[in-house]
Amino acid sequence: MTDLSPTPEAAPVAATDARGRTAELHAIREQARRGPSERATEAQHAKGKLTARERIALLLDEGTFREVEPLRRHRATGFGLEAKRPYSDGVVTGWGTVHGRTVFVYAHDFRIFGGALGEAHATKIHKIMDMAISAGAPLVSLNDGAGARIQEGVSALAGYGGIFQRNTRASGVIPQISVMLGPCAGGAAYSPALTDFVFMVRDTSQMFITGPDVVKAVTGEDISQNGLGGADVHAGTSGVSHFAYDDEETCLEEVRYLLSLLPQNNRENPPTVVTEDPADRRGDSLLDLVPADGNRPYDMRKVIEELVDDGDFLEVHERWAENIICALTRMDGQVVGIVANQPQSLAGVLDIHSSEKAARFVQMCDAFNIPIVTLLDVPGFLPGVDQEHGGIIRHGAKLLYAYCNATVPRVSVVLRKAYGGAYIVMDSQSIGADLTYAWPTNEIAVMGAEGAAGVIFRRQIAEADDPEAMRAHMVKEYKTELMHPYYAAERGLVDDVIDPAETREVLIRSLAMLRTKHADLPSRKHGNPPQ
C-alpha cells in the first residue's frame, strides 16, 4: 500500500532580497536531494538496495550529473494525496557522462510512493526521453517502482503509454538500457522489454505481468516472487534479461562497460580505442582448441578469446540459449559483434531460442553500426516435435531475416561443420555476407556424410552382402567427393581457406577494408519480419 503520510516540507524563508531567496532555494534543493526521511533511506538500505541518487552516482562519471525538474510535485487530490507532495515525485531525471560521453538517465525513488508512477512522475520521464532522442544520446532507466499509482487512476496508465511510445520511437535510434533494481510488475514490465538491453540484480529485482498472489488465485500454483520473475529466471529461462549480477555495484559497472562499446546513436560509429594487442598476432593455439573430429565438443568461448583484443568480450544472454554465443568485443580497437555456434551445448545446433537470441543481436548490431563476425560450427536445426510445433520455421526465419536485412560489414568463418539450412542461415555468402572464409577442417554440405550416404546409397547398402562395410565405404566416398575442405572454395562459395592461426589478422584486415561499406535497402516504410 502506498505510504500517504505527510512529508515535512522546507520552512519558507522570510526574505525579500536576492540573498535570502537564494538561501531559500538551497534549502528546498537540499530537502529534495535528501528525500523523504532518514528512516525511508535506512529501510531502502536494509533491503540491500541503494537509493536513486546513489545509483546515479555509481553509473555516471563523478560530478557530471545535471538534474532536470528536481522540484516537480504532483497536483493530484483525493485519497490523501494532497497532504503529501514531495519534491521529485518519486523519480530522479537528468543527464551526465559515462567515460566522458553524454548519457541520459531516470531513476525511480522507491522511498517516495514506492516509486509508483503518477502523472507528474510520468511527465518527467517523457521529458528526459524526448531530450535523449533529440540529443542523440543513450538512455538508461534505473527501475525500482511499484507500478502505476492507483490513487491517480487512469492518468497513471496513460503515463505508461507515453513511455512505451517513446521506447518504440527511440528503438534503433539511441541505445536504451533498462536496469532492474527492484520490483517491476504489470504493464510497467513492457518498457524494459522494448529496450535494447535488460540488466537485473539477484534477489532484489523481479519482473512479471501478474504476481504470485494472482497466479495462485487463478492457477493454484504457489511460487515466490523470485521463482516467478527473478533475475536467474529471466536470465536463464525466459530470456527477458540479458545480464544478471549479484549486487548493484557490479551491475552498474557492467552497464558502464556496455556503454563503452556502443555508439551514441545510429548516426555514429562505436568508439575506437588504442590497443597494444597486435593485429597480426598469430593464434597457433587454435590448431589445438578445435578438434578435427566433428563429433568432439569444444568451448567456442576459448576461440573467441584467442581472436579478440586481449581476450576480452562481453557476452549477451550468456545463460539463455547457450548453444549460440552473442558477444560484443573489440578487434584492433574497433567494436565488433560476434555470433558463434557453441559446440559445447547441444552440439551447437540452431533451435527456437538460439535463433531468436541471435536474430535480436544481429538487428541490434546493424542498428548501431557494429560490424558482425560469424563463427560457424553448426550441424543443422534441432529436430523434434516440440521444435516443429513451437514454430522453428518462423523462429529460424527471424535469424535469416535479420542477416539478410543487415547492411553493416559482415564476415563469416566456417571452423568445422556447416550443414544444411543452418549453414545458409548463419550468414553464408548466398545471403549477403561480404566475405566468407573457412578453415581446412571445414565440412560444408547439405547434411553429414553418414546421413547423406544413407539417403543416396540406400539401395546399394541394403543389397550388399555386408551392409555396414558398404555403408562405411559410401560414407568415405561421399566425404571424398563432396565434403573435402576445398569443395566450397572451388565453387566460389567461400572466398578463401585460411590457416586458423591467421584468423585474427584476416578478420581485422577484412573489417578494415569494409569500414567504408555503404549499402542501400529498397525504399519502404519498414519490413514485415517473421514473428
Side-chain angles (χ1 to χ4, degrees):
M1 190 70 179
T2 300
D3 178 16
L4 295 176
S5 58
T7 300
E9 297 181 2
V13 178
T16 57
D17 62 351
R19 291 184 183 276
R21 293 292 176 87
T22 301
E24 179 184 26
L25 168 66
H26 285 305
I28 293 173
R29 283 186 175 278
E30 177 59 21
Q31 179 185 338
R33 188 193 65 78
R34 286 198 315 267
S37 67
E38 284 299 319
R39 189 174 71 176
T41 300
E42 290 169 2
Q44 181 80 347
H45 288 165
K47 298 173 186 175
K49 302 198 297 184
L50 301 174
T51 66
R53 296 179 189 278
E54 288 170 340
R55 291 162 173 166
I56 290 172
L58 285 175
L59 173 67
L60 301 177
D61 297 337
E62 185 176 357
T64 64
F65 180 57
R66 180 67 183 175
E67 191 169 352
V68 174
E69 295 192 353
L71 306 184
R72 186 79 179 233
R73 302 163 80 184
H74 74 76
R75 297 173 291 182
T77 58
F79 304 101
L81 282 175
E82 64 276 6
K84 185 173 184 181
R85 299 178 61 232
Y87 292 114
S88 83
D89 200 49
V91 64
V92 181
T93 62
W95 79 88
T97 64
V98 173
H99 302 300
R101 299 190 301 154
T102 300
V103 172
F104 288 82
V105 61
Y106 69 85
H108 299 127
D109 191 339
F110 195 83
R111 301 173 302 167
I112 298 174
F113 298 127
L117 182 138
E119 184 179 18
H121 182 121
T123 302
K124 288 182 65 175
I125 295 175
H126 296 169
K127 181 170 184 175
I128 210 67
M129 294 179 79
D130 289 339
M131 291 175 68
I133 295 169
S134 296
L139 174 70
V140 178
S141 62
L142 305 179
N143 298 270
D144 186 7
R149 197 174 299 170
I150 299 172
Q151 295 84 354
E152 293 195 29
V154 72
S155 296
L157 294 179
Y160 276 122
I163 293 173
F164 302 157
Q165 194 236 13
R166 286 167 174 82
N167 284 139
T168 304
R169 200 170 77 224
S171 180
V173 178
I174 58 171
Q176 298 180 84
I177 299 173
S178 298
V179 188
M180 315 311 296
L181 301 167
C184 185
Y190 283 115
S191 176
L194 289 168
T195 61
D196 299 302
F197 299 97
V198 176
F199 287 73
M200 295 187 74
V201 176
R202 293 184 178 92
D203 298 327
T204 59
S205 63
Q206 302 89 28
M207 296 173 67
F208 35 70
I209 299 300
T210 54
D213 292 341
V214 176
V215 169
K216 185 174 183 179
V218 174
T219 70
E221 297 170 288
D222 194 358
I223 191 168
S224 67
Q225 287 195 346
N226 282 322
L228 181 63
D232 288 325
V233 169
H234 286 312
T237 303
S238 72
V240 170
S241 175
H242 300 78
F243 306 96
Y245 297 99
D246 291 331
D247 57 79
E248 294 189 17
E249 291 83 358
T250 303
C251 180
L252 292 169
E253 185 59 38
E254 289 300 297
V255 174
R256 287 175 56 86
Y257 178 40
L258 173 61
L259 285 166
S260 75
L261 295 166
L262 299 174
Q264 291 292 89
N265 53 64
N266 65 340
R267 301 182 303 276
E268 296 183 4
N269 290 323
T272 301
V273 301
V274 177
T275 179
E276 296 182 358
D277 195 346
D280 59 354
R281 170 174 56 79
R282 286 181 59 83
D284 291 303
S285 64
L286 292 171
L287 297 168
D288 301 314
L289 278 176
V290 180
D293 181 356
N295 294 319
R296 290 179 57 194
Y298 62 93
D299 188 354
M300 182 66 82
R301 291 187 183 92
K302 294 183 178 179
V303 175
I304 296 172
E305 287 176 2
E306 188 64 33
L307 296 177
V308 304
D309 291 353
D310 303 310
D312 189 26
F313 61 92
L314 178 64
E315 188 170 347
V316 179
H317 268 145
E318 180 179 357
R319 296 177 53 210
W320 182 60
E322 296 181 30
N323 42 322
I324 201 160
I325 295 171
C326 298
L328 290 170
T329 186
R330 283 190 169 90
M331 300 186 74
D332 198 30
Q334 305 285 335
V335 176
V336 174
I338 291 183
V339 179
N341 307 110
Q342 172 59 297
Q344 208 169 51
S345 176
L346 294 176
V349 296
L350 287 178
D351 61 1
I352 289 173
H353 288 161
S354 62
S355 297
E356 287 187 315
K357 170 179 169 178
R360 185 85 195 287
F361 183 77
V362 168
Q363 288 172 176
M364 184 279 300
C365 289
D366 188 50
F368 294 116
N369 309 312
I370 300 173
I372 301 168
V373 170
T374 304
L375 304 177
L376 286 85
D377 191 344
V378 59
F381 281 94
L382 181 64
V385 174
D386 289 345
Q387 289 290 307
E388 296 295 343
H389 289 186
I392 184 63
I393 294 172
R394 61 186 174 88
H395 290 292
K398 292 178 184 179
L399 180 54
L400 179 61
Y401 187 98
Y403 269 126
C404 290
N405 205 45
T407 60
V408 291
R410 292 154 49 191
V411 183
S412 64
V413 183
V414 180
L415 278 60
R416 209 169 54 170
K417 299 185 298 294
Y419 294 161
Y423 154 64
I424 300 296
V425 168
M426 287 290 293
D427 208 18
S428 63
Q429 189 181 95
S430 60
I431 66 169
D434 295 296
L435 288 167
T436 56
Y437 299 104
W439 285 5
T441 48
N442 82 83
E443 294 180 356
I444 302 175
V446 175
M447 63 175 66
E450 288 77 9
V455 172
I456 298 172
F457 307 113
R458 181 173 59 250
R459 179 176 298 177
Q460 292 94 317
I461 293 172
E463 295 175 351
D465 294 334
D466 187 346
E468 288 307 313
M470 177 61 73
R471 178 186 296 275
H473 173 74
M474 292 306 182
V475 166
K476 183 177 180 181
E477 181 177 329
Y478 183 83
K479 284 185 175 182
T480 302
E481 290 294 323
L482 296 177
M483 291 184 64
H484 63 79
Y486 308 101
Y487 183 86
E490 290 170 1
R491 285 152 182 80
L493 299 176
V494 298
D495 292 291
D496 198 6
V497 179
I498 62 173
D499 179 348
E502 297 174 355
T503 305
R504 172 177 163 83
E505 180 181 7
V506 169
L507 288 173
I508 287 173
R509 292 188 183 279
S510 298
L511 292 170
M513 179 275 293
L514 291 167
R515 202 162 294 147
T516 55
K517 174 187 174 182
H518 176 76
D520 289 318
L521 291 173
S523 178
R524 58 183 174 182
K525 188 174 181 180
H526 57 73
N528 187 23
Q531 296 298 321

